[in-house]
Structure formats: structure tokens, C-alpha cells
């Protein structure tokens, strides 16, 4: 996936001279995870450059670049560091187009490696998507496969809205045979990754692979699971979600983030409002726990795995 993201950045910088990349160690080093490797050598230090260790200034500078016609792609090095840029993202980046009555777009794509599963220290395993989804004016997307990482990032950079691009870092080394340039689904569309008839399983980012593992194990428990990769968390693709739920009559939402007021809560409300007539069980959630993200040595017990997801699917069937 790292190589796919790197290729997407390179292809967009090649196609559009206004695309620039900035952040901590993205230039000479090529990023902590090497997503920006060799971009500075290829495009020069004026288009891929290092910044001070100050996330709020990275986003503030990106807004300024965008106002003057550039398409900045800033990198926040780790999920937990994005909180220090919260004010600039929520108060300025998300609102600028609206407060100029649509006359000034700020096409900034903020790349944020997120989620747990890499044995990281404190502030290196956060899932902050709900903060951004709750903020009107932002698009929030996250890829679940290597090929989609390429296409989704290219689509995000071309979008005139600000995009929070969440990269599932424990899937950075996920391998897939991809022929570039790859073309995928539109930016705001969900994708059915596995067909099924008993339960709709909605997942995104790092849990797409886990959901596929659960779907593969389902037949042994007598379960036929349909996996929907949400891809876009804001806006949500209600049409694809509801089409699947109307087919199966049951819905389970899986995400790493804490349960309370997570994406699953919003989807449960939407499905209940729009498809109550077909539901054969409540919408259930397989999530992280309502605690701070744990130390690395016990994170495997905190993160939802295929077993926890299958347990929720079985509960839905037995309701």
C-alpha cells in the first residue's frame, strides 16, 4: 500500500504542477513510512519539502497555499498529532469555502496515518475519524485495499473540497497485484467486496481485511456475510448501504474506533430510520472499547478481530 500511495502522489504531481507535498520529514527522509520517498528528488524541494514540528502551522500554511491556487497534500505524521491541528482544520479549513460563499475553494488533502496494530506508543494508535466526520465542510475517506489507496488518493487530490485522507497504517504493507494507473469507484461511493445473503457487514480502512476474514470464516458457522467497504465516511453512501441491508435484513458495523458516538452509531441511526421495515435484528457494532487506546502489549485484545465480528453476526442471526 505504501508504494501505491507513493505512486498516486507522484502521478498527481506529474499531472498537475500545482500539487505540492509538505510535512515533517516528507522531503529528505521520504516520510516515516516512506510514502513520500524520492518525491523531493523527482520534483524538487519547492514541491516536496519539510516543515517544522508544528502541525497547526502545517495546516495553516496549506490553507494559505490553497487560497493562492495550489493543491497542497500535507502529511500529519501520526494520528494522535492531528489533535494539535484541530483548530485550523475545524475552524478554518472546513469553513473557508462556505464563509466565502463558494468563491474560494481550499483543495487540501490532509494525509493522516491512523489506527492501531503496529505496536506503537501513546498517540500512535488513535482512530480520530468521528471528530472530522462531525465537521461539515470536510470529506473523510479511507482505503481498505492497496489498489483503492492509489485511486482514492488521486481522487482526493483532484477534489475541490478539503479531504481528510486516513491511511490504515497497519495495512501499509498489504500486498496486491495492481496495474497502474488503476481506476476505481468514485470518491464518495461504497463498494461491495464480498456478496452474501444473511448479514450486511459494513467496514472501512484497516478492518476491511478483517471483515473479509470474517466473511471467509462465516460458512463454517452457517453464515453468508456481505462485506461493504464504506471508503467514504463523509459523506456516507446511504444508497449502497441500504441496498445491502434491504437484501439481508441484518446489519453489523465494524470499526477500530471507540464504540460511543462512532461511525457505527450514525449508521445504526440511518439504517433504523430508512430500513426499519426490513430489519430482522437491531444494528449491531463490533468496535474498540470506550477506553484510551491501550499499551502495545495488549492492543490485540482491544482491536476488533474476525472472531468478535462473527460473534456480532451470530447475535444478529439469533435475535
Amino acid at each position: 500500500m505504501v508504494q501505491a500511495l507513493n505512486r498516486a502522489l507522484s502521478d498527481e504531481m506529474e499531472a498537475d504542477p500545482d500539487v505540492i507535498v509538505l510535512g515533517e520529514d516528507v522531503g529528505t527522509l521520504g516520510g516515516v513510512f516512506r510514502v513520500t520517498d524520492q518525491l523531493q528528488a523527482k520534483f524538487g524541494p519547492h514541491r516536496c519539502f519539510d516543515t517544522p514540528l508544528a502541525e497547526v502551522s502545517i495546516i495553516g500554511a496549506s490553507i494559505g497555499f490553497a487560497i493562492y491556487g495550489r493543491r497542497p497534500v500535507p502529511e500529519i505524521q501520526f494520528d494522535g498529532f492531528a489533535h494539535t491541528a484541530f483548530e485550523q482544520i475545524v475552524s478554518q479549513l472546513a469553513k473557508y469555502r462556505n464563509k466565502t460563499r463558494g468563491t474560494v475553494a481550499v483543495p487540501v488533502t490532509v494525509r493522516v496515518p491512523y489506527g492501531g496494530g503496529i505496536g506503537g506508543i501513546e498517540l500512535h494508535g488513535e482512530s480520530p475519524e468521528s471528530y472530522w466526520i462531525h465537521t461539515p465542510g470536510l470529506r473523510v475517506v479511507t482505503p481498505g485495499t492497496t489498489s483503492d489507496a492509489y485511486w482514492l488518493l488521486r481522487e482526493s487530490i483532484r477534489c475541490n473540497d478539503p479531504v481528510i485522507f486516513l491511511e490504515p497504517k497497519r495495512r501499509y504493507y498489504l500486498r496486491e497485484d495492481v496495474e497502474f494507473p488503476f481506476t476505481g469507484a468514485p470518491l464518495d461511493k461504497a463498494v461491495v467486496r464480498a456478496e452474501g445473503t444473511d448479514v450486511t457487514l459494513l467496514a472501512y480502512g484497516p478492518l476491511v481485511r478483517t471483515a473479509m476474514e470474517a466473511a471467509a470464516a462465516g460458512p463454517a458457522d452457517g453464515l453468508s456475510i456481505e462485506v461493504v467497504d464504506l471508503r467514504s465516511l463523509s459523506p456516507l453512501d446511504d444508497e449502497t448501504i441500504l441496498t445491502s441491508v434491504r437484501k439481508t435484513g441484518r446489519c453489523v458495523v465494524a470499526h477500530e474506533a471507540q464504540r460511543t458516538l462512532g461511525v457505527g452509531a450514525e449508521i445504526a441511526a440511518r439504517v433504523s430510520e430508512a430500513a426499519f421495515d426490513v430489519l430482522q435484528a437491531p444494528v449491531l457494532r463490533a468496535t474498540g472499547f470506550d477506553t484510551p487506546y491501550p499499551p502495545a502489549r495488549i492492543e490485540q485484545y482491544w482491536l476488533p478481530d474476525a472472531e468478535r465480528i462473527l460473534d456480532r453476526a451470530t447475535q444478529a442471526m439469533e435475535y
Side-chain angles (χ1 to χ4, degrees):
M1 184 179 289
V2 165
Q3 292 179 358
L5 292 165
N6 179 270
R7 175 64 184 265
L9 288 167
S10 180
D11 286 356
E12 276 306 305
M13 294 176 80
E14 190 79 47
D16 184 350
D18 286 326
V19 176
I20 58 174
V21 172
L22 64 154
E24 299 162 6
D25 295 324
V26 301
T28 304
L29 181 65
V32 171
F33 296 101
R34 303 297 186 269
V35 174
T36 58
D37 190 37
Q38 296 299 310
L39 294 181
Q40 187 177 80
K42 185 175 182 180
F43 297 99
H46 60 295
R47 294 191 62 196
C48 179
F49 51 90
D50 296 329
T51 64
L53 304 181
E55 286 75 14
V56 67
S57 69
I58 294 172
I59 300 303
S62 296
I63 294 169
F65 282 126
I67 291 171
Y68 280 89
R70 310 304 290 270
R71 287 188 180 271
V73 186
E75 176 184 296
I76 302 297
Q77 204 167 68
F78 283 95
D79 35 51
F81 304 165
H83 302 154
T84 62
F86 192 86
E87 190 276 334
Q88 281 291 302
I89 294 175
V90 171
S91 299
Q92 304 300 330
L93 180 63
K95 294 180 171 61
Y96 206 90
R97 194 172 189 180
N98 183 63
K99 65 187 178 184
T100 59
R101 297 186 179 183
T103 58
V104 181
V106 280
V108 178
T109 300
V110 184
R111 294 182 39 248
V112 185
Y114 85 115
I118 65 164
I121 59 175
E122 186 181 24
L123 303 180
H124 290 63
E126 308 289 316
S127 296
E129 58 267 33
S130 288
Y131 298 128
W132 315 127
I133 296 165
H134 191 65
T135 303
L138 297 176
R139 288 178 180 263
V140 183
V141 302
T142 178
T145 69
T146 294
S147 54
D148 206 30
Y150 171 83
W151 178 246
L152 207 53
L153 182 53
R154 293 202 68 176
E155 286 280 276
S156 298
I157 295 171
R158 295 172 186 170
C159 180
N160 282 332
D161 296 324
V163 179
I164 305 296
F165 189 89
L166 298 171
E167 300 173 0
K169 55 180 177 286
R170 72 162 151 150
R171 305 304 185 203
Y172 265 154
Y173 303 106
L174 199 63
R175 292 182 175 275
E176 180 183 336
D177 290 329
V178 184
E179 186 173 339
F180 295 117
F182 172 83
T183 301
L187 185 62
D188 54 2
K189 295 296 290 184
V191 172
V192 176
R193 298 288 181 198
E195 298 275 355
T197 57
D198 293 332
V199 181
T200 294
L201 173 56
L202 307 175
Y204 57 88
L207 285 198
V208 171
R209 181 173 181 177
T210 311
M212 294 298 286
E213 293 170 355
D221 293 338
L223 290 170
S224 174
I225 297 175
E226 179 151 301
V227 177
V228 178
D229 177 359
L230 293 175
R231 300 176 74 247
S232 173
L233 306 182
S234 181
L236 283 166
D237 179 6
D238 291 327
E239 181 181 3
T240 300
I241 293 171
L242 293 171
T243 297
S244 180
V245 173
R246 287 192 176 280
K247 171 183 169 184
T248 65
R250 301 175 181 85
C251 180
V252 173
V253 188
H255 55 68
E256 282 191 13
Q258 285 83 353
R259 173 188 172 94
T260 298
L261 293 181
V263 174
E266 175 62 26
I267 291 176
R270 293 189 185 204
V271 170
S272 298
E273 289 167 358
F276 187 75
D277 56 320
V278 302
L279 284 177
Q280 299 184 48
V283 178
L284 299 178
R285 290 168 285 175
T287 70
F289 298 107
D290 284 339
T291 66
Y293 194 77
R297 66 180 182 277
I298 59 171
E299 67 179 349
Q300 71 269 27
Y301 303 112
W302 196 92
L303 294 167
D305 57 10
E307 184 177 354
R308 194 183 304 173
I309 292 172
L310 280 172
D311 180 63
R312 296 295 185 275
T314 301
Q315 286 181 34
M317 291 298 293
E318 294 175 345
Y319 188 80

